[in-house]
Amino acid sequence: MAALDRTTSVEVAGAGKAGTEQGGFRSGLLDLWREASRSDPDLHAVASHLSTVPDVAAATLRFANSAYIGAAYPVGSVLQGVVRVGCRTVGSLVAARLGRSVINQWGDDETWGRALVIGRGAKVMGRLGGLGHDDCEQLFVAGLFAEMGTLMLEKRDARYAQWKADAQGMGFTIDELLAQERLVFGADHPSLGGTVLEGWNLPAQIAAAVAHHHCPANRFEMVLATAMRIPQGVTCIDQSLEDGLIDLGLDHHHAFIERESKMFANAAAAVLDAE
């Protein structure tokens, strides 16, 4: 298998950036996410800005009237929808829409659903673990794009997925695996993911957490790394996730974190995919 040189790795990252300019980033969703995710958002300003992005405004109304929210009566205006779900949830839906426009270029529906679970799980863990408002909002976005490096390597070389499975089967430690990725592909997946997010001008903390998800250096990064262990499928006790939650002091919230992450992901996917 031919190695990817450094230039090619940068070109892969550049392709991801170009994709965002054709999707959610170009339409101003990143600015809307920042506005809705502020610690002191203006409801009317968020609703006014949201109204300029019809697909996300419609998704917000669907979410406000969904079984996930469980309200007794429907709302019909964007402002009413924002009031009902709150600006933080609007911010999550905006970020999810942005994420979908990018991830769909590199992955499939399963990848998209997985990204939502990781993002919601990270945000919930951050909140339960005492992280601040800004950190929790950034954790959601970090979770959406946590596996971006892997997706880009898979897209660049169809043999990557099988190569990785074979390498894991050989019993490599994670450090050895990443070293082999750099040797064979010219980049390891965490570093590539972090480089891509830096190129998208996302907050530095998000890019660093993605780049360090196999070697977290602080609590923010530990939360993201733990959220990435949430298993697919039905809620179950997964030892890898349990160990991460114990390290964070959140093991007594295990069932809630996993259930809430998957319920939100299903609800968000449904309202966004209904466009």
Side-chain angles (χ1 to χ4, degrees), residues 24-266:
F25 283 68
R26 188 183 65 183
S27 64
L29 287 180
L30 191 57
D31 290 338
L32 178 52
W33 169 70
R34 290 190 174 113
E35 185 173 8
S37 299
R38 290 171 50 192
S39 58
D40 58 343
D42 182 318
L43 283 169
H44 288 83
V46 170
S48 177
H49 194 162
L50 183 60
S51 296
T52 68
V53 190
D55 56 337
V56 185
T60 300
L61 279 175
R62 288 192 293 268
F63 195 84
N65 294 323
S66 70
Y68 176 85
I69 298 297
Y73 60 90
V75 294
S77 74
V78 172
L79 178 59
Q80 289 172 329
V82 172
V83 170
R84 173 170 287 180
V85 305
C87 286
R88 295 183 185 185
T89 297
V90 171
S92 291
L93 290 173
V94 170
R97 173 61 181 82
L98 185 155
R100 191 186 69 171
S101 69
V102 175
I103 291 170
N104 280 0
Q105 300 174 54
W106 303 90
D108 53 20
D109 288 344
E110 182 177 340
T111 305
W112 157 236
R114 172 80 179 144
L116 285 171
V117 168
I118 296 172
R120 183 62 172 182
K123 182 174 179 177
V124 171
M125 288 181 203
R127 187 174 68 241
L128 292 173
L131 292 182
H133 169 87
D134 290 346
D135 283 345
C136 292
E137 299 308 313
Q138 290 188 21
L139 276 167
F140 182 80
V141 176
L144 287 177
F145 297 119
E147 297 181 336
M148 201 68 210
T150 296
L151 294 176
M152 299 183 95
L153 284 176
E154 288 176 347
K155 191 77 169 182
R156 176 60 181 80
D157 194 317
R159 297 166 291 182
Y160 172 76
Q162 186 59 54
W163 175 91
K164 186 174 182 180
D166 292 343
Q168 290 173 330
M170 296 173 66
F172 288 142
T173 66
I174 188 59
D175 288 340
E176 291 170 338
L177 179 64
L178 296 181
Q180 286 296 312
E181 283 188 349
R182 291 190 291 272
L183 178 64
V184 176
F185 299 99
D188 60 66
H189 68 273
S191 297
L192 179 57
T195 298
V196 169
L197 300 190
E198 285 180 357
W200 294 348
N201 295 319
L202 290 174
Q205 181 173 235
I206 293 176
V210 171
H212 301 154
H213 69 255
H214 284 301
C215 54
N218 54 49
R219 192 168 180 82
F220 183 95
E221 294 176 3
M222 287 176 63
V223 168
L224 177 63
T226 302
M228 293 178 71
R229 303 177 189 176
I230 297 175
Q232 295 282 66
V234 298
T235 298
C236 60
I237 300 300
D238 177 88
Q239 192 57 52
S240 176
L241 174 59
E242 184 75 5
D243 291 344
L245 291 173
I246 289 172
D247 290 341
L248 292 168
L250 298 176
D251 49 303
H252 54 298
H253 293 297
H254 185 150
F256 169 74
I257 290 168
E258 195 168 338
R259 183 175 64 251
E260 166 60 20
S261 301
K262 294 175 181 178
M263 288 177 59
F264 176 89
N266 289 336

